[in-house]
């Protein structure tokens, strides 16, 4: 442990979950106000501290919670594309200092603007907002002076919000843009924009409206700007001249998924050593990796191509290797000629996050306990219905799972949520199995196979549900999967097309009723509907895995 440590780090609570951000200002650490979490200036560098229990993701707006045991700590240093070399250097140095202060156990991540890791973006449920300027512009809350702004929303799983000067040259039909004019917040929706981008834009627009008390939020469809009412069209035209309208195609904008899924066949393992005083990196193997490839006496680099570089520090490695791991890894990136924004993450022996373990064909924990969930789930799962089908193959062979459908007898642990105003609201136990055709639901199902917890996440889309509800259901399914470290199988379910296993987990008692909760876009006068006093159900099926009851319209 270092003899002295920056006073800023003294604010970190011990034996507790926590989320803290500091910005480098005049070569010093300055705490970022919590109401500014998620805002990053491209001219600055930041350090982000995230501590959680059992590796569960922590949200930026979460409050510290005392825990038993040692939290899993992730330290990220984020570098804006316009940050100076000295600020970036201070961020890296202070990250090492913080790591040393915490005993060398945290997982370190190097993040760069535009290439942030999924974990990093997942902290900010309202999305990241990349702003122009830097420390000089600071967190000044401007009240009298307002400068209109353009925000670009792009991405499929975790859309990022980036500020640009207001100009048609930034527009394309594949994304969503926000023109913040203070009086009116315009949300311009590209014709090929995905649901995640639309949903994120709604959240950002609401936040902007509340920040400076704008009179309204106006949605503008790509190519239909001239259909706006006269007063709104006048304001829009004052900031973006319709006579100069020129929008790029969705193809010109590039793919929403900047980084493709990792391919284990491209993994390369390198052995690192400084025994003779010279740091050497030697290739060990390529292709699928085994946990036994790592030895505690040494350090290793795992090259995962476009997904980034991992540095693993054995518990018996030298202190020099531990302290200089990030610098050596960055040197490896430079030597390989990889882009400067390549993700670099350092992990220590015994403190590996789920993303790292997933790179290996198998991973056995020291003093392992079963799964991430509650011990009460153990023993609840009965044998597989079809004895010729192992439930674990659902994760290995999704197509086979889809054909056989029944992965167990449906007695696993069940949690049901309904989408209400962009949020997931738990459904009471007594109403689980009752669905409204005007709503969307997310169903998390946990079961055991081979002594390990597995997860299914169904998102059910009612026949009369709105687009924003469907988009929210898909987004929240991704977020739940991220919370489980990407370990879940996601299944999209449409009303009337429920698979056998989905019906089976409700024991043949699934009921679909008319109506539902008012959508976020239904207006102030929209009413919620509940279970009617009298209704007629049509029941179809003869077993728990093929039975559902649907409300019929009654004509007397």
């Amino acid at each position: 442990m270092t003899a002295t440590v920056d006073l800023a780090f003294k604010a970190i609570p011990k034996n507790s979950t926590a989320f803290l951000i500091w910005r480098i200002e005049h070569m010093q650490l300055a705490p970022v106000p919590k109401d500014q979490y998620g805002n990053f200036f491209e001219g600055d560098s930041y350090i982000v501290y995230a501590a959680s229990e059992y590796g569960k993701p922590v949200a930026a707006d979460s409050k510290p919670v005392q825990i038993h045991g040692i939290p899993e700590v992730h330290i990220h240093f984020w570098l804006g594309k316009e940050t100076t070399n000295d600020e970036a250097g201070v961020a890296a140095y202070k990250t090492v200092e913080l790591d040393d202060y915490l005993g060398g156990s945290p997982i370190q991540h190097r993040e760069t603007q535009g290439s942030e890791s999924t974990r990093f973006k997942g902290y900010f449920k309202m999305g990241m907002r990349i702003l122009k300027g830097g420390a000089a512009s600071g967190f000044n809350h401007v009240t009298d002076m307002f400068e209109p702004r353009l925000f670009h929303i792009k991405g499929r799983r975790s859309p990022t919000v980036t500020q640009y000067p207001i100009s048609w040259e930034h527009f394309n039909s594949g994304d969503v843009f926000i023109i913040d004019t203070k009086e009116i917040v315009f949300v311009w929706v590209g014709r090929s924009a995905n649901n995640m981008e639309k949903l994120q834009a709604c959240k950002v627009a609401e936040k902007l409206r509340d920040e400076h008390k704008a009179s309204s939020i106006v949605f503008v469809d790509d190519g239909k700007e001239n259909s706006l009412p006269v007063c709104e069209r006048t304001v829009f035209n004052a900031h973006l001249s319709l006579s100069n309208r020129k929008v790029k195609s969705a193809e010109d904008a590039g793919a929403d998924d900047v980084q493709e899924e990792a391919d284990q066949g491209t993994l390369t393992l390198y052995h690192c050593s400084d025994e003779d005083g010279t740091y050497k990196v030697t290739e060990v193997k390529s292709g699928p990796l085994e946990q036994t490839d790592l030895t505690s006496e040494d350090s290793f680099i795992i090259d995962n191509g476009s997904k980034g570089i991992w540095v693993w520090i054995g518990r018996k490695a030298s202190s020099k290797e531990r302290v200089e791991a990030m610098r050596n890894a960055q040197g490896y990136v430079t030597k390989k000629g990889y882009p400067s924004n390549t993700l670099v993450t350092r992990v220590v022996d015994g403190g590996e996050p789920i993303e790292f373990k997933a790179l290996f064909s198998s991973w056995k924990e020291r003093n392992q306990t079963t799964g991430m969930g509650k011990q009460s789930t153990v023993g609840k799962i009965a044998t597989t219905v079809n004895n010729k089908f192992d439930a674990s193959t659902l994760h290995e062979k999704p197509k086979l799972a889809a054909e056989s459908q029944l992965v167990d007898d449906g007695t696993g642990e069940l949690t049901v949520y309904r989408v209400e105003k962009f949020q997931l609201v738990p459904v009471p136990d007594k109403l689980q199995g009752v669905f409204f055709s005007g709503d969307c639901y997310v169903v998390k199902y946990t079961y055991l196979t081979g002594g390990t917890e597995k997860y299914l996440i169904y998102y059910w889309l009612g026949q009369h549900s709105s687009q924003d509800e469907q988009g929210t259901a898909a987004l929240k399914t991704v977020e739940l999967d991220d919370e489980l470290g990407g370990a879940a199988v996601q299944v999209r379910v449409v009303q009337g097309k429920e698979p056998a296993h989905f019906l089976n987990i409700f024991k043949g008692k699934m009921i679909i009723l008319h109506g539902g909760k008012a959508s976020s876009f239904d207006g102030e006068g929209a009413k919620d509907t509940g279970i009617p006093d009298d209704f007629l159900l049509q029941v179809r099926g003869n077993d728990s895995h093929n039975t559902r009851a649907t409300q019929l319209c009654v004509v007397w």
Side-chain angles (χ1 to χ4, degrees):
M1 184 176 294
T2 55
T4 59
V5 66
D6 197 300
L7 290 176
F9 298 145
K10 296 289 187 178
I12 297 174
K14 294 181 179 180
N15 300 322
S16 172
T17 65
F19 190 90
L20 299 166
I21 303 179
W22 299 273
R23 184 167 69 163
I24 309 302
E25 297 183 13
H26 307 296
M27 303 302 121
Q28 301 294 324
L29 293 176
V32 175
K34 288 191 177 294
D35 63 356
Q36 295 293 326
Y37 281 7
N39 290 350
F40 291 86
F41 288 89
E42 62 181 23
D44 289 331
S45 296
Y46 296 78
I47 293 177
V48 175
Y49 171 92
S52 60
E53 186 175 18
Y54 307 128
K56 297 177 182 177
V58 60
D61 57 357
S62 62
K63 296 181 179 179
V65 177
Q66 287 292 124
I67 63 173
H68 298 289
I70 301 173
E72 180 178 292
V73 176
H74 292 258
I75 306 174
H76 306 255
F77 61 100
W78 184 91
L79 309 177
K81 67 178 182 180
E82 299 296 336
T83 192
T84 61
N85 289 334
D86 52 352
E87 287 179 334
V90 171
Y93 171 78
K94 287 294 182 181
T95 297
V96 173
E97 182 181 311
L98 175 57
D99 176 78
D100 200 23
Y101 172 62
L102 297 172
S105 61
I107 300 154
Q108 291 184 33
H109 306 258
R110 180 182 184 270
E111 310 277 357
T112 57
Q113 180 182 335
S115 300
E116 295 85 357
S117 63
T118 300
R119 175 180 287 273
F120 187 81
K121 291 189 287 187
Y123 295 140
F124 309 101
K125 301 306 180 185
M126 294 296 291
M128 294 174 59
R129 198 192 305 181
I130 311 299
L131 305 172
K132 295 289 184 182
S137 53
F139 300 113
N140 298 323
H141 294 276
V142 179
T143 55
D144 297 328
M145 299 296 293
F146 179 88
E147 182 179 351
R149 300 168 292 178
L150 173 68
F151 294 100
H152 178 198
I153 293 86
K154 185 177 184 64
R156 187 166 297 278
R157 290 174 67 89
S158 300
T160 300
V161 183
T162 307
Q163 182 181 351
Y164 289 108
I166 298 182
S167 171
W168 281 113
E169 66 177 292
H170 303 294
F171 281 69
N172 70 79
S173 293
D175 300 325
V176 181
F177 295 80
I178 294 175
I179 306 97
D180 184 8
T181 70
K182 189 175 183 181
E183 295 84 5
I184 299 176
V185 179
F186 292 96
V187 179
W188 187 94
V189 183
R191 62 191 67 192
S192 300
N194 65 60
N195 285 336
M196 305 304 176
E197 291 167 337
K198 295 175 185 177
L199 181 61
Q200 186 73 325
C202 291
K203 293 180 180 179
V204 174
E206 289 178 348
K207 193 171 189 301
L208 291 173
R209 178 195 60 192
D210 295 341
E211 282 179 1
H212 52 73
K213 296 180 174 55
S215 59
S216 61
I217 297 174
V218 175
F219 291 85
V220 185
D221 289 330
D222 182 2
K224 297 183 179 179
E225 296 84 1
N226 285 313
S227 299
L228 289 169
V230 175
C231 59
E232 295 171 356
R233 186 169 69 247
T234 301
V235 176
F236 186 94
N237 189 62
H239 294 86
L240 275 170
S241 175
L242 293 175
S243 61
N244 295 327
R245 183 187 186 279
K246 188 175 182 180
V247 177
K248 299 185 185 74
S249 67
E251 291 74 21
D252 291 338
D256 291 326
D257 295 320
V258 178
Q259 297 177 341
E260 299 298 329
E261 292 298 320
D263 178 2
Q264 290 193 353
T266 65
L267 292 172
T268 306
L269 179 68
Y270 294 87
H271 173 248
C272 308
S273 175
D274 63 352
E275 289 183 0
D276 59 359
T278 304
Y279 189 78
K280 294 181 180 179
V281 178
T282 308
E283 184 174 341
V284 177
K285 63 183 292 190
S286 294
L289 303 181
E290 302 291 337
Q291 187 179 4
T292 53
D293 294 329
L294 306 175
T295 57
S296 294
E297 292 77 15
D298 300 307
S299 299
F300 294 84
I301 286 177
I302 297 176
D303 188 338
N304 198 15
S306 63
K307 293 292 289 184
I309 305 300
W310 295 83
V311 186
W312 183 86
I313 308 296
R315 62 180 60 197
K316 298 180 182 178
S318 70
S319 58
K320 181 179 179 182
E321 285 180 318
R322 179 176 60 80
V323 171
E324 297 189 359
M326 291 297 281
R327 184 176 65 82
N328 291 327
Q330 192 56 38
Y332 170 86
V333 169
T334 302
K335 186 175 181 179
K336 282 286 187 177
Y338 290 164
S340 60
N341 60 0
T342 299
L343 290 171
V344 178
T345 306
R346 190 215 69 170
V347 300
V348 294
D349 186 359
E352 301 87 350
I354 186 65
E355 304 98 304
F356 181 85
K357 298 171 187 175
L359 300 176
F360 294 79
S361 299
S362 62
W363 190 276
K364 184 177 180 180
E365 303 289 354
R366 295 181 177 88
N367 302 320
Q368 182 177 10
T369 56
T370 302
M372 293 172 60
K374 300 178 180 178
Q375 292 184 354
S376 59
T377 62
V378 177
K380 282 189 177 181
I381 313 301
T383 56
T384 306
V385 173
N386 182 349
N387 292 328
K388 295 183 179 180
F389 179 68
D390 184 352
S392 65
T393 59
L394 176 65
H395 294 258
E396 299 166 2
K397 300 176 182 179
K399 184 177 180 181
L400 176 62
E403 292 172 353
S404 56
Q405 300 206 3
L406 293 175
V407 299
D408 71 346
D409 66 354
T411 58
E413 184 177 343
L414 185 66
T415 308
V416 183
Y417 304 92
R418 179 159 66 169
V419 174
E420 297 181 19
K421 299 187 184 302
F422 298 122
Q423 300 297 326
L424 291 184
V425 177
V427 174
D429 291 346
K430 65 179 181 179
L431 292 180
Q432 290 188 5
V434 178
F435 294 78
F436 289 89
S437 63
D439 291 329
C440 293
Y441 296 78
V442 175
V443 178
K444 176 186 170 187
Y445 183 76
T446 307
Y447 64 101
L448 287 181
T449 174
T452 303
E453 283 190 341
K454 299 289 185 180
Y455 309 95
L456 281 169
I457 304 178
Y458 294 99
Y459 59 106
W460 186 90
L461 310 179
Q463 184 176 358
H464 301 295
S465 60
S466 64
Q467 286 188 343
D468 64 309
E469 290 171 329
Q470 294 178 14
T472 300
L475 175 63
K476 293 300 181 181
T477 296
V478 172
E479 290 182 358
L480 275 179
D481 188 15
D482 287 342
E483 291 177 8
L484 298 170
V489 172
Q490 301 175 27
V491 183
R492 180 178 183 270
V493 180
V494 179
Q495 179 182 333
K497 304 291 184 181
E498 294 83 7
H501 185 262
F502 183 86
L503 295 172
N504 201 39
I505 62 180
F506 294 105
K507 311 299 186 293
K509 298 178 181 179
M510 179 183 178
I511 299 174
I512 303 174
L513 300 176
H514 296 162
K517 285 282 184 180
S519 166
S520 303
F521 293 151
D522 281 344
E524 295 293 335
K527 294 183 178 180
D528 297 334
T529 59
I531 298 178
D533 295 330
D534 301 295
F535 53 91
L536 176 66
L537 292 176
Q538 180 186 44
V539 181
R540 289 184 176 181
N542 57 11
D543 204 335
S544 63
H545 64 267
N546 64 11
T547 300
R548 68 176 66 82
T550 306
Q551 183 182 356
L552 297 180
C553 293
V554 180
V555 180
W556 300 103

